[in-house]
Amino acid sequence: MDPIRFALLGIGAGAIYALAAQGIVLVYRGSGVLNFAHGAMGMVAAFVFYDLRGGPHWPALLCFGVAVPSAAAIGALTHLLVMRPLRHASGLARLIATLGVLTLLQASASQLWGNDFRVVTGILPDSSITPLPHTTIGVDRVWLFGIAAALTTVLMLVYRYTRFGRATGAVSENPRALAALGHSPDVIATVNWAAGAGLAGIGAIFIVPLTSLQVNSLTLLVVPALAAALVGGFASFPLTLLGGMAIGVAESEMARYVTAGGWAQSVPFLAIIAVLVLRGRALPLRGDTSDRPPELGTGQVRPLAVLSAFVAGGALIWFVFSASWTDAAITTLTVGIVVLSFVVVTGFAGQLS
């Protein structure tokens, strides 16, 4: 009965992955951007929630009423302040911009809350049930699955039968045509960014009791969420739910039956590779013709300029700088070598590593 028991234990994490993944789907459908800062947005909501719950001791619903809107506000501001000015930039540039938002949120959270692990108690019932003989699981797993299934159903109904949902589907194909019909692509994108970040906040709040409250681990919630969203093609809410559940169950089974370390954590990456290989392309194509490809430089290197800079920099380091400045210069040049690789990989090949 162990396989069944561990599969049931995995539905809790799977439901959380699905919740976070639905937010990624919303952002992609509403703006065509793959949001790598999704986990970081949820992380902020989780810290706000548990700080209010453990400090002022607010009721859970009131904490939710502050924490989730805080994540939604970050999502909306990300679109208005970062993505909207980049609306005519290449898709790759916008993707890298979300990495910048991730770095900003992660660094800010580290300054505010530190990087230590904090163990917190959950807000869901902690009793146990026995759905099958000799198979006992926490009732919180059932609650999490029910919440994920209910929110998925709501999203399906809203985006299939409401005017806003149909407009969101249209803006992902052709924003100019939708604007000609009297809809604002900016408003639609802002609402979807806010709703997507809010779902990330809900997922982060619920996953903390299963893992811990820590900046970096919560930021990495984006990895299984991306895998689940990829299963759903960044469009289908039911398939995204199924993908999240499958990843959660697979992680639980790996943790039980694979003794080598790291295999359970590798399940989202294995899922991404499997889906990409089976599908044959990375992301669903969009009809947005306003995107422009990345701009390429000439790639020419001027040997005289490089040699002059090398000689001048070496002379400064050797004769002028102190030991601390020399260490700083060495570190800077080392990082510069790494950054130069992105010129080749990202600038010329168009790949994000």
Side-chain angles (χ1 to χ4, degrees), residues 71 177 198 214 232 301 321 327:
Q214 201 266 344
V301 178
F321 287 173
D327 291 339

Side-chain angles (χ1 to χ4, degrees), residues 13-318:
I16 294 169
Y17 297 157
L19 276 174
Q22 304 292 18
I24 292 178
V25 172
L26 288 184
V27 172
Y28 188 83
R29 290 180 61 159
S31 63
V33 176
L34 191 58
N35 182 22
F36 278 0
H38 196 68
M41 294 176 179
M43 172 266 298
V44 172
F47 271 99
V48 171
F49 177 87
Y50 287 102
D51 276 0
L52 293 176
R53 187 165 174 255
H57 302 288
W58 290 7
L61 286 178
L62 187 56
C63 294
F64 257 103
V66 175
V68 175
S70 68
I74 292 174
L77 289 173
T78 298
H79 171 71
L80 294 173
L81 301 180
V82 180
M83 295 302 152
R84 188 177 183 277
L86 293 174
R87 60 189 180 277
H88 296 308
S90 68
L92 183 62
R94 286 179 288 173
L95 188 66
I96 294 174
T98 67
L99 292 174
V101 175
L102 182 155
T103 304
L104 175 63
L105 293 176
Q106 192 173 21
S108 300
S110 296
Q111 291 294 320
L112 289 172
W113 295 295
N115 288 309
D116 295 333
F117 287 87
R118 291 161 53 183
V119 178
V120 299
T121 57
I123 59 175
L124 296 176
D126 57 359
S127 58
S128 299
I129 59 173
T130 307
L132 297 172
H134 310 292
T135 304
T136 301
I137 62 170
V139 72
D140 59 332
R141 265 64 173 180
V142 180
W143 272 92
L144 288 171
F145 174 75
I147 292 170
L151 284 176
T152 299
T153 303
V154 171
L155 290 172
M156 287 173 54
L157 295 175
V158 169
Y159 283 83
R160 179 174 295 181
Y161 296 110
T162 66
R163 185 179 181 185
F164 175 80
R166 292 191 293 269
T168 298
V171 76
S172 67
E173 292 298 327
N174 196 322
R176 292 181 178 179
L178 186 71
L181 295 175
H183 296 275
S184 171
D186 270 338
V187 171
I188 292 172
T190 303
V191 172
N192 280 288
W193 269 91
L199 286 172
I202 295 174
I205 290 169
F206 281 132
I207 203 173
V208 165
L210 303 182
T211 56
S212 62
L213 185 62
Q214 201 266 344
V215 172
N216 294 329
S217 62
L218 286 172
T219 301
L220 292 177
L221 176 62
V222 70
V223 177
L226 279 172
L230 186 62
V231 172
F234 294 91
S236 171
F237 296 116
L239 288 179
T240 300
L241 174 64
L242 180 63
M245 300 303 299
I247 292 170
V249 170
E251 283 185 346
S252 181
E253 297 287 359
M254 283 276 197
R256 171 64 179 86
Y257 290 104
V258 180
T259 57
W263 278 99
Q265 291 77 19
S266 69
V267 169
F269 298 100
L270 295 175
I272 290 172
I273 293 171
V275 173
L276 293 182
V277 170
L278 292 175
R279 180 173 291 156
R281 54 188 172 91
L283 292 176
L285 298 177
R286 299 186 59 204
D288 190 353
T289 57
S290 64
D291 284 354
R292 65 185 185 191
E295 295 181 0
L296 297 179
T298 62
Q300 294 179 350
V301 178
R302 295 180 173 84
L304 182 59
V306 173
L307 181 61
S308 301
F310 177 77
V311 171
L316 285 173
I317 292 174
W318 185 264

